[in-house]
Amino acid sequence: MTLLLPELVAQLAAAFPDGVAWRNVADGSELSLDDWHRRSNRLARGLQGQGVARGDRVGLLIANDEPLEWLVSYVAVHKAGAVAVPLLARLGPVELARILQDAGASVALCSEVVPEVRAAVRTVVCTGTGGDVRWGTLLSGDDHDLAPTSGPDDVADIMYTSGTTGRPKGVVVRHGGLSTTDRVPSTWLGLGFLSSSPFATTSGSLLVSGPLRGGLSGWFLPRFNADAWIDAVERERPVSAFLVPAMVELLVASPRFGTADLSSLAVVTVGSAPIAAATLRRFGAGLAGTDVLCGYGMTEFGAVTAMPMGDAGRHLGSVGLPLPGVDVRIVAPDGAALPPGAVGEVTIGGTRPARSYLDDGEPADERWADGWLRSGDLGYVDPDGHLWIVGRQKEIIIRGGHNVVPGEVEAALFEHPAVVEAAVAGVAHAVLGEDVAAWVVLRDQTSTDALRAFLLERLADYKVPRRITVVDALPRNESGKVMKSRLE
């Protein structure tokens, strides 16, 4: 039987009412399982009192600094029978308004009100001041359960893609596809799972209930930096954590990483974007006794793969094995299946309720065909069944007739001890059509000529960037993915 998120929260609250569902590490505030259930009941009734009906779209723009309000709001929207539209509050006002209009949202729950958002929806509910209704006053006095209004095939969320390769697109997510397991823990361990990934991202949304299904308490660090994360681990002693590759790169570059006491961590999962094996090796070396696991997923599908526990680095750099109910196939440009070891496009299928794009004029069969989602990612499956991601199909650089995969060049750059961050992209060239360019963040001073010489020892000469630019930081979105369109 499929257990929807509101039902999971209700069952956990009944079994472990005093268990801490989530804690805001920044200020120590906590949300118990019972509070989460009852407050979301009250807010759901308040939303219904504001005219929110079954199937209505509700924008969720509450900022990272208010994670507990976000979590209550998210479950409340579902309990009201409405559809959540989670958005990163730090997006520009014009982009927020455009997405709210694209999604057809009638109500927005915000931390602060901007004129563009105010003009895009009927009602603004604000945790601060300036909205039509204060979030706190919207909570009804009635905290009793609401009658279920949604089933596994009903729409739960409209999640927007990160927009790293174009304008963000709305993806329709159904209730039955929000989790990979319906398990309710038999005991409440209450041990900590530390995350800084915004809930409005694909990876962050999977963590709303993920830790709870294992009997763990979610601990949210609203603003990530290496020192704050290390302080939190040393002080709070979590047993597990989730990081995106950009966070791992910053931690490995921190002078504190080698001496910090991170021994409480039994498992650290890295996801959201590909990560270089060299970075993983440095990270793992500083976490003796910790399982460092990688996973892979997409907004258009959800979680796809995960590294099994106890792999002990045998498949370091891969993103693991397909999750239960998920199938992965590598295909050639003509759609033919490729054998293990051959690089091609990663396609994904399975028994999970299918996702689709919100009606935005793009035919669904351009990405979904015969039950398979074309990911746009290039990868291969090794003989043990582990998936390896090598790059994005759209990012392939055709340099004088030679195909160059940016991810391969980036991985080679990360092998250099001075490189903290690296991004590779194609730039226009009058003769070659495209040329290879790289942008790097360095921990130690070194020349670009030295970097090119280093790469020539590892790559074919046509893959070595002719132009390497040293920058202070790479432009990233809140999922930690590099916005290559902003590289100059």
Side-chain angles (χ1 to χ4, degrees):
M1 182 184 72
T2 300
L3 194 64
L4 307 191
L5 177 60
E7 297 167 337
L8 173 67
V9 173
Q11 289 193 21
L12 286 167
F16 316 107
D18 297 326
V20 175
W22 280 91
R23 176 191 301 164
N24 182 347
V25 175
D27 63 13
S29 57
E30 295 180 343
L31 182 68
S32 74
L33 290 163
D34 188 63
D35 286 342
W36 195 8
H37 177 49
R38 294 187 181 279
R39 291 178 72 190
S40 57
N41 283 346
R42 295 171 61 196
L43 185 59
R45 295 185 188 280
L47 289 170
Q48 291 176 336
Q50 288 293 315
V52 173
R54 187 175 186 273
D56 284 354
R57 282 85 183 269
V58 178
L60 195 48
L61 287 68
I62 296 174
N64 275 11
D65 290 334
E66 299 182 292
L68 307 187
E69 288 82 357
W70 194 100
L71 289 159
V72 169
S73 299
Y74 182 62
V75 175
V77 170
H78 288 172
K79 286 182 174 181
V83 176
V85 185
L87 298 175
L88 294 168
R90 292 179 62 184
L91 292 175
V94 173
E95 187 170 20
L96 286 172
R98 185 193 69 77
I99 293 176
L100 288 169
Q101 291 171 335
D102 182 70
S106 57
V107 175
L109 306 182
C110 308
S111 290
E112 60 178 301
V113 183
V114 294
E116 291 85 353
V117 169
R118 184 67 196 84
V121 296
R122 182 190 73 228
T123 305
V124 173
V125 178
C126 190
T127 59
T129 59
D132 301 307
V133 185
R134 287 286 298 273
W135 188 91
T137 62
L138 193 61
L139 274 68
S140 164
D142 185 353
D143 64 2
H144 289 88
D145 292 355
L146 291 81
T149 58
S150 302
D153 294 328
D154 290 317
V155 178
D157 301 338
I158 299 173
M159 295 288 296
Y160 276 78
T161 60
S162 59
T164 53
T165 58
R167 291 182 67 177
K169 295 178 181 178
V171 176
V172 176
V173 181
R174 303 185 186 279
H175 281 280
L178 281 177
S179 69
T180 58
T181 174
D182 296 323
R183 181 165 63 99
V184 176
S186 57
T187 59
W188 186 255
L189 303 174
L191 300 172
F193 178 101
L194 181 64
S195 172
S196 287
S197 193
F199 295 121
T201 63
T202 301
S203 54
S205 67
L206 293 172
L207 301 178
V208 169
S209 63
L212 311 183
R213 296 175 188 272
L216 299 179
S217 173
W219 298 349
F220 189 78
L221 180 64
R223 297 182 184 275
F224 177 89
N225 64 63
D227 283 339
W229 190 87
I230 290 171
D231 287 343
V233 174
E234 290 189 322
R235 180 181 67 251
E236 307 288 346
R237 313 300 290 162
V239 297
S240 183
F242 175 84
L243 295 165
V244 302
M247 296 173 183
V248 176
E249 290 162 11
L250 292 171
L251 285 168
V252 169
S254 169
R256 293 181 58 192
F257 180 66
T259 57
D261 181 5
L262 309 177
S263 59
S264 68
L265 291 168
V267 180
V268 175
T269 301
V270 181
S272 175
I275 183 168
T279 303
L280 278 176
R281 283 195 293 271
R282 292 172 187 154
F283 187 57
L287 290 170
T290 302
D291 260 340
V292 179
L293 311 177
C294 290
Y296 169 69
M298 295 182 66
T299 304
E300 289 89 343
F301 190 88
V304 176
T305 64
M307 185 73 75
M309 294 281 289
D311 190 69
R314 287 188 296 271
H315 299 86
L316 183 71
S318 87
V319 293
L321 299 169
L323 291 164
V326 178
D327 298 314
V328 172
R329 184 175 66 176
I330 308 298
V331 301
D334 63 1
L338 293 172
V343 173
E345 183 175 11
V346 179
T347 62
I348 309 160
T351 58
R352 201 179 299 164
R355 300 186 178 191
S356 60
Y357 284 129
L358 193 64
D359 183 15
D360 62 357
E362 179 172 339
D365 61 4
E366 290 190 12
R367 291 296 296 274
W368 286 269
D370 299 324
W372 291 89
L373 169 66
R374 296 176 55 188
S375 71
D377 289 323
L378 295 173
Y380 66 92
V381 173
D382 68 20
D384 295 329
H386 286 247
L387 176 64
W388 299 72
I389 303 297
V390 301
R392 288 286 295 169
Q393 194 170 48
K394 286 184 178 180
E395 293 180 356
I396 287 180
I397 303 164
I398 304 176
R399 182 188 195 184
H402 295 288
N403 285 359
V404 180
V405 179
E408 181 184 7
V409 184
E410 290 165 357
L413 280 166
F414 275 113
E415 294 282 350
H416 195 287
V419 174
V420 178
E421 298 183 78
V424 172
V427 293
H429 191 278
V431 177
L432 299 173
E434 279 188 297
D435 206 352
V436 183
W439 291 259
V440 296
V441 178
L442 302 177
R443 64 166 59 83
D444 299 313
Q445 188 171 3
T446 190
S447 70
T448 56
D449 286 342
L451 288 175
R452 269 188 290 271
F454 180 83
L455 293 177
L456 280 167
E457 296 175 356
R458 290 159 173 78
L459 301 170
D461 57 359
Y462 66 85
K463 298 179 181 180
V464 175
R466 196 190 309 265
R467 188 181 99 191
I468 300 179
T469 304
V470 178
V471 295
D472 293 331
L474 297 177
R476 295 182 183 269
N477 63 18
E478 292 203 27
S479 299
K481 297 178 181 178
V482 176
M483 307 292 283
K484 292 192 176 182
S485 60
R486 297 183 184 176
L487 294 169
E488 297 178 354

